[in-house]
Amino acid sequence: MSPYLAEVVGTALLILFGDGVVANVLLNKSKGQGGGWIVITAGWGMAVMIAAYSVGTVSGAHLNPAVSIGLAAIGKFDAALVPGYIAAQMVGAMIGAALVWLAYLPHWAVTSDQGAKLGIFCTAPGIRHTPGNLICEIIGTAGLVFGALAIPSESNFTAEGWSTGFGPMLVGLLVFALGLSLGGPTGYAINPARDLGPRIMHALLPIPGKGGSDWGYAWIPVVGPIIGGLIGAGLHHFLFAQKVIEKTTLP
């Protein structure tokens, strides 16, 4: 499997399980309806873990343009591969969103809440406050990238980076923690592909009774995570430049 195909598969798995848990909690007549925020954040954490274990040894399991851009900015990933990785992540996110739509096919028509339907595919703020929403996404993604880089240090692992051993499990717990701590204001997209790809599919798919796709907000979960990824990667590089950090790129 090529690294690009691995990013497609990994990101599709991420969205299938991540958006899938949101659908389970929000759609009418689903067995998990009303499960609540902890169920959603736990599901997203495990989605990251499953996707990372599935393709990490092939592509490094970036699964997130903010991760690819952040790693390239500090020299831990070949910048020439970034466009291909981002394209693969977007394709994977769209495939994953389509699979969630298919998995819950009869539930869309019996759910009248347009906001809930949109929330399955992408994020929306609890309070619309552009500076605050952007800052929240920046902080969350900075924490994600910084933590993901710190986890596979030599003091934690002797394995081959965060994509093997306990790395994916711990990054999944990191995402769980981010959702519990910082997910309230914006739904913690912390990943441009995770938000934009499914948002596009929400606009394209024949979902009964759906509303608009909230394109006025869509730039925040794209720009915020990219800025946050650069900050998180840069901060880690600044603080630990003298230490040996396990690779999180291609083997």
Side-chain angles (χ1 to χ4, degrees):
M1 185 187 299
S2 76
Y4 297 128
L5 180 57
E7 286 293 297
V8 172
V9 172
T11 310
L13 287 171
L14 171 68
I15 300 303
L16 174 61
F17 291 112
D19 282 2
V21 71
V22 184
N24 192 21
V25 169
L26 296 184
L27 289 178
N28 286 346
K29 298 188 180 297
S30 167
K31 298 295 185 180
Q33 186 178 9
W37 186 246
I38 291 180
V39 171
I40 289 173
T41 53
W44 270 106
M46 287 185 278
V48 171
M49 179 185 69
I50 292 165
Y53 273 126
S54 297
V55 302
T57 56
V58 180
S59 68
H62 293 187
L63 315 176
N64 183 339
V67 171
S68 300
I69 292 169
L71 292 177
I74 61 172
K76 289 187 173 292
F77 185 64
D78 185 352
L81 298 177
V82 170
Y85 262 51
I86 292 175
Q89 292 154 3
M90 284 294 297
V91 169
M94 294 171 73
I95 291 172
L99 291 174
V100 171
W101 169 68
L102 286 171
Y104 284 89
L105 194 60
H107 293 266
W108 305 102
V110 298
T111 302
S112 59
D113 189 336
Q114 295 180 347
K117 293 176 184 178
L118 178 61
I120 290 163
F121 291 90
C122 54
T123 61
I127 298 174
R128 289 186 180 270
H129 184 272
T130 297
N133 301 153
L134 185 63
I135 289 169
C136 185
E137 286 294 329
I138 290 171
I139 292 172
T141 313
L144 170 68
V145 175
F146 183 90
L149 282 169
I151 282 171
S153 66
E154 276 194 331
S155 61
N156 291 333
F157 293 100
T158 57
E160 300 167 337
W162 84 275
S163 59
T164 59
F166 289 106
M169 182 183 71
L170 294 179
V171 174
L173 288 174
L174 171 62
V175 172
F176 184 28
L178 285 168
L180 291 175
S181 302
L182 301 174
T186 63
Y188 75 124
I190 60 175
N191 181 340
R194 170 264 174 277
D195 195 273
L196 183 57
R199 193 183 298 269
I200 291 171
M201 294 309 294
H202 174 269
L204 295 178
L205 289 169
I207 300 169
K210 69 177 178 181
S213 299
D214 197 9
W215 291 110
Y217 179 78
W219 68 274
I220 289 178
V222 172
V223 174
I226 290 173
I227 296 172
L230 289 169
I231 292 173
L235 181 61
H236 183 274
H237 184 67
F238 174 76
L239 294 175
F240 298 100
Q242 303 305 315
K243 299 179 73 172
V244 177
I245 306 297
E246 296 289 347
K247 292 169 65 177
T248 58
T249 58
L250 296 174

